[in-house]
């Protein structure tokens, strides 16, 4: 069985491997400290760490799209750096 | 004291669903991500283009227009169907022979397949043979959904309201039926008005089902394809070319797999964000009101 039809490229494969590793990491974290660490976020609703990961990933996707829309000529790595800082903030405060 | 048994067998029960979702959703989505950064001329040969399709799409007027039309359509649909569904559910009888009659007549539009609904309204609205189109023409109203954008929009909105308001009605009715009589008796003793009963008893109790109704109607209207495709085919001009119609034109009509994949991903992200916002707001409003001791 080959996966040629899926038209894999190294960057997209890396992207999915990183997402998969994140999910594995979150599972290990959940096994070590069960319950999802719920807390009241600064947005006035309760979040667990799964919610925080979801918000981080979704927000990061939007940060990249907005970067493409506003600064199409600049490197996308800047957007990646902003997304990393954003994800850290989400895990710290949201 | 009984110790809590930890049993991981349930994971195996989830496995079939996981495999099914992997084959029907996750693997196709991964393929779309792969396509979105490449270009192809067929023959399974792909060329790396990076983020070019996304850049092109974000700055394309065609995409902006389709997106705005889609948002406008979903907004109009939700603002009509949700209040109308609640009003009809409130007016429906709670006991007697009227209940099955109302429920069945409400369920009927839901049983009709999308393309049939499209065909029904396509014929219904025609000026030459359709009842609606012919009657409006006889009244002197200039109505032709194949030539005027406003008439086309009105036809599609009327069709969607006819097809899907029943879903909101049935969900709201189920919510209303689950309210115990004691609440109404207490309201009666307190001398509450009809409006107060609705505001403080019925609406909070319907919140959960309304959340489901809003989510279902939003998702369904945001990805609407078949009905407008059958009725107007996206026309007149591009006036009813919603995102899904544009996407199919791009992917299958023009065989531009790369741009279509990029558009699919942005479409997916928009739906994901809006659903998350709806869900978070509505589930938190529900919790606050239940904490408030209503």
């Amino acid at each position: 069985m080959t996966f040629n039809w899926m038209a894999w490229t190294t960057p997209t494969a890396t992207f999915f491997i990183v997402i998969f590793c994140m999910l594995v990491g979150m599972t290990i974290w959940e096994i070590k400290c069960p319950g999802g660490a719920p807390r009241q976020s600064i947005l006035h609703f309760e979040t667990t760490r799964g919610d925080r990961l979801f918000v981080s990933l979704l927000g990061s996707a939007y940060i990249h799209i907005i970067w493409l829309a506003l600064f199409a000529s600049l490197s996308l790595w800047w957007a990646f750096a902003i997304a990393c800082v954003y994800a850290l903030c989400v895990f710290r405060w949201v | 004291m009984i110790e809590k048994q930890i049993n991981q067998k349930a994971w195996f029960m989830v496995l079939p669903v996981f495999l099914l979702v992997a084959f029907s959703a996750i693997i196709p989505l991964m393929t779309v991500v792969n396509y979105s950064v490449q270009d192809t001329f067929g023959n399974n040969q792909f060329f790396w283009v990076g983020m070019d399709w996304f850049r092109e799409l974000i700055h394309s007027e065609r995409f902006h227009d389709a997106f705005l039309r889609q948002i406008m359509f979903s907004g109009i649909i939700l603002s009509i169907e949700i209040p109308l569904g609640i009003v009809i559910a409130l007016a429906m009888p709670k006991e007697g022979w009227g209940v099955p009659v109302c429920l069945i007549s409400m369920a009927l539009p839901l049983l009709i397949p999308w393309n049939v609904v499209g065909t029904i309204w396509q014929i219904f609205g025609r000026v030459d043979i359709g009842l609606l189109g012919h009657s409006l023409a006889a009244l002197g109203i200039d109505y032709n959904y194949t030539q005027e954008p406003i008439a086309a929009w009105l036809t599609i909105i009327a069709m969607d309201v006819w097809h899907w308001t029943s879903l909101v009605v049935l969900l709201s009715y189920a919510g209303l039926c689950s309210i115990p009589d004691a609440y109404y008796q207490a309201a009666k003793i307190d001398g509450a008005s009809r409006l107060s009963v609705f505001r403080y008893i019925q609406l909070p109790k319907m919140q959960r089902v309304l959340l489901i109704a809003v989510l279902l109607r939003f998702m369904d209207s945001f990805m609407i394809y078949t009905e407008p495709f059958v009725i107007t085919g996206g026309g007149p001009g591009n006036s009813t070319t919603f995102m899904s119609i544009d996407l199919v034109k791009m992917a299958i009509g023009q065989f531009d797999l790369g741009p279509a994949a990029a558009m699919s991903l942005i479409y997916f992200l928009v739906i994901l964000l809006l659903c998350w916002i709806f869900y978070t707001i509505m589930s938190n409003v529900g919790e606050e009101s239940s904490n408030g001791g209503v």
Side-chain angles (χ1 to χ4, degrees):
Chain A
M1 186 178 173
T2 61
F3 288 98
N4 285 342
W5 63 273
M6 285 179 80
W8 281 105
T9 63
T10 319
T12 49
T14 316
F15 171 74
F16 282 114
I17 289 167
V18 170
I19 300 268
F20 180 74
C21 290
M22 278 180 186
L23 293 177
V24 171
M26 292 296 283
T27 311
I28 293 168
W29 194 359
E30 181 64 25
I31 292 168
K32 295 269 180 202
C33 326
R39 67 162 183 239
Q40 197 73 17
S41 73
I42 50 165
L43 301 171
H44 300 292
F45 56 85
E46 200 180 79
T47 58
T48 61
R49 61 173 88 94
D51 294 328
R52 277 165 238 148
L53 179 72
F54 177 76
V55 173
S56 307
L57 290 177
L58 190 61
S60 303
Y62 275 93
I63 287 170
H64 284 82
I65 288 174
I66 292 167
W67 187 270
L68 282 177
L70 298 180
F71 314 104
S73 55
L74 292 176
S75 168
L76 206 59
W77 287 107
W78 290 106
F80 180 71
I82 296 170
C84 288
V85 173
Y86 163 77
L88 285 175
C89 292
V90 168
F91 268 85
R92 176 68 188 80
W93 287 295
V94 173
Chain B
M1 194 176 156
I2 303 164
E3 277 211 11
K4 196 177 164 191
Q5 290 266 321
I6 294 173
N7 187 343
Q8 304 287 1
K9 274 183 196 159
W11 291 107
F12 290 103
M13 307 286 179
V14 183
L15 201 62
V17 173
F18 178 76
L19 288 177
L20 202 70
V21 172
F23 272 95
S24 67
I26 299 173
I27 291 175
L29 186 67
M30 283 174 157
T31 314
V32 168
V33 173
N34 293 339
Y35 282 2
S36 71
V37 290
Q38 299 178 86
D39 196 6
T40 183
F41 304 104
N43 204 22
N44 214 16
Q45 280 186 316
F46 290 88
F47 306 93
W48 173 261
V49 293
M51 289 287 133
D52 285 1
W53 297 135
F54 287 94
R55 266 187 212 105
E56 199 177 275
L57 194 76
I58 290 167
H59 295 105
S60 109
E61 211 166 293
R62 174 179 167 180
F63 174 71
H64 294 169
D65 292 347
F67 181 68
L68 281 178
R69 278 191 285 267
Q70 191 72 68
I71 290 276
M72 209 161 91
F73 179 73
S74 290
I76 293 172
I77 288 301
L78 283 180
S79 58
I80 296 174
E81 288 180 12
I82 301 293
L84 185 65
I86 295 173
V87 169
I88 296 175
L90 287 171
M92 270 167 64
K94 301 283 176 297
E95 52 195 358
W97 60 267
V99 177
V101 172
C102 285
L103 287 178
I104 289 171
S105 49
M106 279 294 145
L108 273 178
L110 299 175
L111 297 173
I112 305 174
W114 289 266
N115 50 351
V116 179
V117 172
T119 314
I120 291 172
W121 279 79
Q122 207 249 9
I123 296 168
F124 187 48
R126 277 175 65 165
V127 182
D128 51 353
I129 55 167
L131 181 63
L132 175 72
H134 196 74
S135 309
L136 287 174
L139 290 170
I141 298 168
D142 192 18
Y143 165 85
N144 189 340
Y145 68 84
T146 57
Q147 284 172 4
E148 295 149 26
I150 293 176
W153 267 79
L154 288 176
T155 311
I156 292 176
I157 289 167
M159 177 220 58
D160 202 87
V161 169
W162 175 82
H163 194 188
W164 288 111
T165 306
S166 310
L167 180 78
V168 184
V169 174
L170 293 179
L171 285 168
S172 306
Y173 188 73
L176 283 174
C177 288
S178 70
I179 303 173
D181 267 347
Y183 282 83
Y184 293 113
Q185 287 160 6
K188 212 172 184 181
I189 292 165
D190 289 345
S193 66
R194 181 72 195 86
L195 198 67
S196 306
V197 171
F198 175 69
R199 169 70 187 82
Y200 296 105
I201 297 175
Q202 290 169 325
L203 200 57
K205 286 284 169 194
M206 279 197 292
Q207 210 138 35
R208 294 274 160 194
V209 286
L210 282 181
L211 164 69
I212 296 167
V214 169
L215 272 178
L216 283 177
R217 282 316 305 132
F218 167 72
M219 287 190 288
D220 223 32
S221 64
F222 209 78
M223 62 182 193
I224 191 166
Y225 175 74
T226 317
E227 297 101 316
F229 181 73
V230 173
I231 296 179
T232 62
N238 274 333
S239 62
T240 55
T241 303
F242 299 120
M243 267 167 74
S244 53
I245 295 181
D246 208 19
L247 186 58
V248 172
K249 271 186 192 169
M250 205 184 268
I252 296 167
Q254 300 163 217
F255 200 67
D256 281 336
L257 290 186
M263 188 174 170
S264 308
L265 287 178
I266 293 181
Y267 199 170
F268 174 65
L269 286 174
V270 171
I271 291 193
L272 212 55
L273 178 69
L274 290 173
C275 285
W276 181 77
I277 291 172
F278 270 133
Y279 182 78
T280 311
I281 291 175
M282 294 189 75
S283 53
N284 281 290
V285 167
E287 262 171 35
E288 271 166 28
S289 63
S290 61
N291 291 342
V294 174

